Amino acid sequence: MIIEIMGKINNTFINSLIPNKKFYKGLLKKELTLSFNYFLGFIFLLNLLFFIILSLRLNLPSNYQNIKEFLNNLDEIPESLVINIDNSHLSTNQDRPLLLWLNNNGRQELIAVLDETASADKINQYGSPLLLTSSEIVIKQDVENYATLNYPNETIKITKDQLVNAKNMLFKSFPLMVSALIFYLLAISPFIIFLLSLIFLALLSLPIYFIFHYKSKKIKYDKVFQISLHASTI
C-alpha cells in the first residue's frame, strides 16, 4: 500500500517536473484537492531539504561548543570589572586591555578585545574579529577591512556578575530557543510558504486564464490554477 502511494507521488512529481502533455491534460478531470495536497507535500519536502542543508552548513553541534567555550571565558575576567557606557562612550575601571580567547581544538584563538585606548585600525594588530574601543565597536570583515558600530546613547553599567548571569541564562534557554527554531522551520514555515505561494500562483494564473479563455471558452480558471500548482515544480 505504502509502496503504491509512493509510486503515485513519484509519478506525479516526475510528470509535473518534466512537462507531460498527457499528464497535464488529465489534470482537467481530477479534483483540485489532489493538486493542493501534492503542492503542500512538495513544499514540505523542499523545506525539509533546505533545513538539512542549513543544518549541515551551520554545523550547530560544533559551533554551539565553540560559543559555549567562548562564553565560559567570562568566568575568567576580573571580579572587579565594571564597564560603563555613557553618551555613546565606553569606559572601564581596568588599566589594561581585556582579551577573550577561544580554545579551538587545542589552539588558542583571540576572539574579542576590550581596549578603550585603542583606535579602530588596531584590530588588525590584535588579529581579533571583535574590538571594543572607547568610542565604537569594531568588527573585522576581511584581512584589511573592518566595520564600526556606535554604542547606544544611554547610560549602562555592566559588571562581571551581570555578564555571568546573562551567560547562565543563555545556556538554560538555548535548548528551548533551538527547539522553537526547529519547530518554526519544519512546521510553521512550510505553511507560510504554502499560503504565500498559493496567492502568487493565483495572481499569476489570472492573465494566463484570460489569454487561453479568449481562445477557448471551455477552459476554467480553477483548472489553470490547478495546472500552475504542478507546473511550479520546476
Side-chain angles (χ1 to χ4, degrees), residues 137-153:
I137 303 171
V138 188
I139 303 172
K140 190 77 171 177
Q141 292 183 317
D142 51 44
V143 177
E144 297 181 353
N145 299 316
Y146 54 83
T148 60
L149 298 173
N150 294 325
Y151 296 109
N153 189 17

Side-chain angles (χ1 to χ4, degrees), residues 83-111:
I83 301 173
N84 293 299
I85 298 176
D86 188 18
N87 295 325
S88 302
H89 181 85
L90 180 144
S91 62
T92 72
N93 61 344
Q94 303 295 306
D95 57 0
R96 59 183 178 179
L98 177 64
L99 283 66
L100 293 179
W101 298 85
L102 174 66
N103 185 354
N104 187 7
N105 296 322
R107 184 180 62 185
Q108 293 291 321
E109 293 184 1
L110 185 60
I111 198 73

Side-chain angles (χ1 to χ4, degrees), residues 2-14:
I2 297 178
I3 296 178
E4 182 180 351
I5 293 175
M6 293 300 295
K8 290 181 179 180
I9 294 175
N10 183 62
N11 182 63
T12 302
F13 171 74
I14 296 298

Side-chain angles (χ1 to χ4, degrees), residues 147-163:
T148 60
L149 298 173
N150 294 325
Y151 296 109
N153 189 17
E154 300 177 13
T155 300
I156 303 173
K157 180 179 179 181
I158 304 172
T159 65
K160 177 181 178 178
D161 288 341
Q162 291 174 325
L163 292 174

Side-chain angles (χ1 to χ4, degrees), residues 17-194:
L17 182 64
I18 304 174
N20 186 314
K21 183 177 180 180
K22 183 179 179 181
F23 170 77
Y24 278 98
K25 189 175 181 179
L27 287 177
L28 301 176
K29 301 177 182 178
K30 293 184 178 181
E31 295 180 1
L32 182 59
T33 306
L34 296 176
S35 298
F36 267 123
N37 292 336
Y38 162 76
F39 189 64
L40 179 60
F42 180 61
I43 292 295
F44 265 93
L45 181 63
L46 280 182
N47 197 77
L48 178 61
L49 181 62
F50 167 77
F51 175 78
I52 293 174
I53 294 174
L54 181 65
S55 299
L56 293 175
R57 289 184 64 86
L58 291 179
N59 194 8
L60 289 178
S62 176
N63 286 326
Y64 171 69
Q65 187 61 32
N66 289 337
I67 294 173
K68 185 177 180 180
E69 290 183 6
F70 168 67
L71 292 177
N72 280 334
N73 284 327
L74 296 176
D75 295 332
E76 305 301 323
I77 64 178
E79 294 287 344
S80 60
L81 175 67
V82 177
I83 301 173
N84 293 299
I85 298 176
D86 188 18
N87 295 325
S88 302
H89 181 85
L90 180 144
S91 62
T92 72
N93 61 344
Q94 303 295 306
D95 57 0
R96 59 183 178 179
L98 177 64
L99 283 66
L100 293 179
W101 298 85
L102 174 66
N103 185 354
N104 187 7
N105 296 322
R107 184 180 62 185
Q108 293 291 321
E109 293 184 1
L110 185 60
I111 198 73
V113 177
L114 193 162
D115 185 353
E116 58 184 296
T117 65
S119 57
D121 57 3
K122 197 171 182 180
I123 191 172
N124 295 322
Q125 298 180 30
Y126 276 120
S128 169
L130 181 66
L131 171 65
L132 304 179
T133 73
S134 62
S135 58
E136 55 197 350
I137 303 171
V138 188
I139 303 172
K140 190 77 171 177
Q141 292 183 317
D142 51 44
V143 177
E144 297 181 353
N145 299 316
Y146 54 83
T148 60
L149 298 173
N150 294 325
Y151 296 109
N153 189 17
E154 300 177 13
T155 300
I156 303 173
K157 180 179 179 181
I158 304 172
T159 65
K160 177 181 178 178
D161 288 341
Q162 291 174 325
L163 292 174
V164 173
N165 289 337
K167 177 205 73 171
N168 294 335
M169 185 178 298
L170 182 62
F171 282 160
K172 290 180 180 178
S173 59
F174 187 78
L176 180 60
M177 291 189 296
V178 171
S179 299
L181 179 61
I182 292 175
F183 177 76
Y184 171 80
L185 291 175
L186 293 182
I188 298 178
S189 177
F191 278 108
I192 295 176
I193 297 173
F194 174 69

